[in-house]
Amino acid sequence: MKTAREVLDVPALRKDFPILSQKVYGKRLVYLDNAATSQKPRPVIEAMERFYTQDCSNIHRGVHALSERATRAYEDARIKVQQFVNAPEAREIIFVRGTTEGINLVAGSFGREHVGAGDEILISEMEHHSNIVPWQILCEEKGARLRVAPINDRGELLMEEYEKLLGPRTRIVAVAHVSNALGTVNPVREIVALAHSRNIPVLIDGAQAVPHRKVDVQDLDCDFFTFSGHKMFGPTGVGVLYGKAQHLEKMPPYQGGGDMISSVTFEKTTYNKIPYKFEAGTPYIAGGYGLAAAIDYLDAIGMEAIGEYEHGLLEYATRAVSGIPGLEIIGTAKEKAGVLSFTLDGIHPHDIGTILDQEGIAIRTGHHCAQPLMDRFGIPATARASLAFYNTKEEIDQLVLGLRKVIEVFG
Ligand code: C6P
């Protein structure tokens, strides 16, 4: 079997990320906050610069050369996304601001149509707020009920409980592919199959999956899948909602405005075909350029190699921190990706983050926008180191040294 170092040439890849070579407080930056946002390689930055220096114009409107170029590049980006997640058709790819908007779109359009008083929406205990609150808003509006599938102490979804909660009133299931706070990889294929056997559609929040593993929406057979560009080495402000055409075609628009119409009179408006029906207004065109470049970059490395490398690094990190006295890992699922959440006995996570920051180490501390999950574990917060393919064992060693310093100061 190949060692982690042989799978990827990480030192070479790191050179593509200008931000990683900087020093913070005179120390080499160790960036371990990739679940919050990932860093951007030069080709992504250059693609966005290309839009602003060569092609800057509006799309789908102009007859001039710049607009035609930008329109082609933006629509090529859509095809690139389609291929990246193996969607059957490019028109099933809707550009949104990010995962949050993708979920709000489904709740606000599909949800409004299909959920009524007394109906149920099923999520899990490990969801990010953006896969809780849009459904709560919908439930309040419709008099529906939010049901929550529980997890065990390792942070794994209890599949039997999940199955029991799939009832005659369940109108949609919405679950994370990978938990941002625990790293748990959910068995989404099985989750979808169980829901579909009862004709219940499924939305997958793929924000933390897409940067770490190959996603194939046809293989998952999910009805909706959404993710953010900025967590997959692309720009902030652009993301993707994949939806099966059979749903998207029937769904009402989410927002009204330019580009989403076919014709407008004061009496009546008819809507554009999908995906444009869901893309009102001028989109983040430079974001499309950057996202396409991020996909090219990931494709060139290979998602399998990335997954394998990160798996090795997570195992190394898990072993390395296990020797630290008073450290408890939160989230010990058998299937995990890229996230190491932990607490240190008697030390507040914010203090951990502050001391590590002084060592040049960037992690996230807090509830990670998953407050109900923190409640489940009876803790207010965790410290979270989250990995990307450009992280190294040396950086994990730095983290361990930093944590020993935290204990010296606060322990
Ligand atoms: N999680 C984190 O530090 P947006 O903000 O729309 O790009 O993504 C929201 C979102 C949805 N689902 C999951 C599983 C997520 O992890 C996130 C974003 C970041 O964990 C910022 S809170």
Side-chain angles (χ1 to χ4, degrees):
M1 205 177 111
K2 284 183 182 168
T3 64
R5 197 171 275 289
E6 286 165 342
V7 176
L8 299 182
D9 185 355
V10 175
L13 291 172
R14 284 181 71 88
K15 291 200 182 107
D16 294 333
F17 292 80
I19 206 167
L20 293 179
S21 57
Q22 72 180 284
K23 290 196 167 161
V24 175
Y25 310 122
K27 312 246 166 78
R28 207 167 60 89
L29 169 68
V30 174
Y31 188 78
L32 294 172
D33 196 16
N34 295 287
T37 201
S38 58
Q39 298 303 345
K40 322 304 171 201
R42 243 179 247 288
V44 169
I45 299 163
E46 285 166 4
M48 296 174 75
E49 193 183 350
R50 181 161 54 86
F51 172 71
Y52 285 120
T53 55
Q54 294 174 31
D55 298 352
C56 186
S57 55
N58 213 323
I59 56 169
H60 301 148
R61 295 158 169 84
V63 291
H64 55 81
L66 269 59
S67 176
E68 278 178 9
R69 236 160 34 214
T71 301
R72 203 172 318 120
Y74 197 72
E75 290 307 320
D76 283 351
R78 197 187 304 279
I79 293 166
K80 214 149 253 182
V81 172
Q82 176 209 345
Q83 291 164 347
F84 187 62
V85 296
N86 194 30
E89 299 178 67
R91 67 193 182 113
E92 295 174 306
I93 301 299
I94 299 162
F95 284 123
V96 288
R97 279 191 300 132
T99 308
T100 304
E101 190 174 40
I103 298 169
N104 275 280
L105 193 162
V106 176
S109 171
F110 184 88
R112 276 227 181 95
E113 284 270 292
H114 288 88
V115 177
D119 287 340
E120 296 179 356
I121 295 161
L122 178 54
I123 62 169
S124 90
E125 220 172 358
M126 70 179 88
E127 298 310 316
H128 185 279
H129 294 166
S130 61
N131 202 24
I132 302 174
V133 184
W135 304 116
Q136 281 176 327
I137 292 171
L138 180 65
C139 285
E140 264 175 44
E141 187 186 312
K142 297 286 186 175
R145 186 171 171 210
L146 191 68
R147 306 299 304 268
V148 183
I151 59 173
N152 64 22
D153 290 342
R154 289 195 299 276
E156 294 163 327
L157 191 63
L158 293 168
M159 288 301 283
E160 279 167 27
E161 300 301 316
Y162 162 71
E163 193 172 356
K164 275 190 226 154
L165 285 164
L166 292 169
R169 302 304 301 259
T170 313
R171 294 290 170 260
I172 188 163
V173 169
V175 289
H177 195 161
V178 175
S179 155
N180 67 316
L182 304 171
T184 309
V185 181
N186 278 317
V188 277
R189 219 157 154 249
E190 209 183 323
I191 287 170
V192 172
L194 285 168
H196 281 184
S197 68
R198 294 153 177 89
N199 288 324
I200 301 165
V202 181
L203 173 141
I204 305 292
D205 168 354
Q208 300 293 349
V210 166
H212 304 292
R213 55 200 296 118
K214 177 86 197 123
V215 167
D216 180 332
V217 293
Q218 292 191 66
D219 179 56
L220 298 178
D221 196 28
C222 52
D223 298 271
F224 301 100
F225 189 98
T226 183
F227 53 99
S228 304
H230 69 99
K231 294 188 200 288
M232 52 177 287
F233 316 98
T236 57
V238 67
V240 172
L241 172 70
Y242 155 78
K244 284 185 177 170
Q246 70 196 68
H247 297 310
L248 295 177
E249 275 177 340
K250 287 189 221 131
M251 282 159 56
Y254 163 63
Q255 292 178 333
D259 225 22
M260 54 75 72
I261 55 91
S262 169
S263 75
V264 179
T265 66
F266 286 122
E267 287 70 41
K268 183 168 173 59
T269 291
T270 56
Y271 304 126
N272 207 339
K273 58 190 186 208
I274 61 168
Y276 311 110
K277 182 171 70 172
F278 295 106
E279 294 182 351
T282 301
Y284 182 24
I285 308 166
Y289 276 59
L291 185 61
I295 290 174
D296 282 341
Y297 189 82
L298 287 170
D299 276 343
I301 304 172
M303 290 312 298
E304 271 80 16
I306 288 173
E308 198 180 324
Y309 175 78
E310 288 181 4
H311 184 73
L313 196 60
L314 182 66
E315 280 189 343
Y316 180 82
T318 305
R319 271 196 309 274
V321 301
S322 296
I324 296 173
L327 186 141
E328 188 188 349
I329 296 176
I330 308 296
T332 51
K334 275 191 214 94
E335 288 287 325
K336 269 188 77 172
V339 170
L340 195 69
S341 246
F342 57 89
T343 55
L344 269 178
D345 204 13
I347 305 174
H348 196 280
H350 288 302
D351 293 333
I352 303 175
T354 305
I355 298 289
L356 290 180
D357 176 50
Q358 285 160 15
E359 297 299 308
I361 303 167
I363 62 158
R364 184 172 171 188
T365 63
H367 52 61
H368 314 296
C369 301
Q371 280 182 345
L373 179 67
M374 297 294 124
D375 292 344
R376 159 66 181 75
F377 282 95
I379 49 177
T382 75
R384 181 189 70 181
S386 52
L387 311 176
F389 61 80
Y390 44 59
N391 290 126
T392 63
K393 285 184 180 171
E394 291 73 27
E395 289 182 311
I396 301 299
D397 296 342
Q398 286 299 114
L399 172 69
V400 171
L401 284 177
L403 290 172
R404 294 207 182 274
K405 195 159 223 173
V406 172
I407 294 170
E408 258 172 54
V409 176
F410 290 102

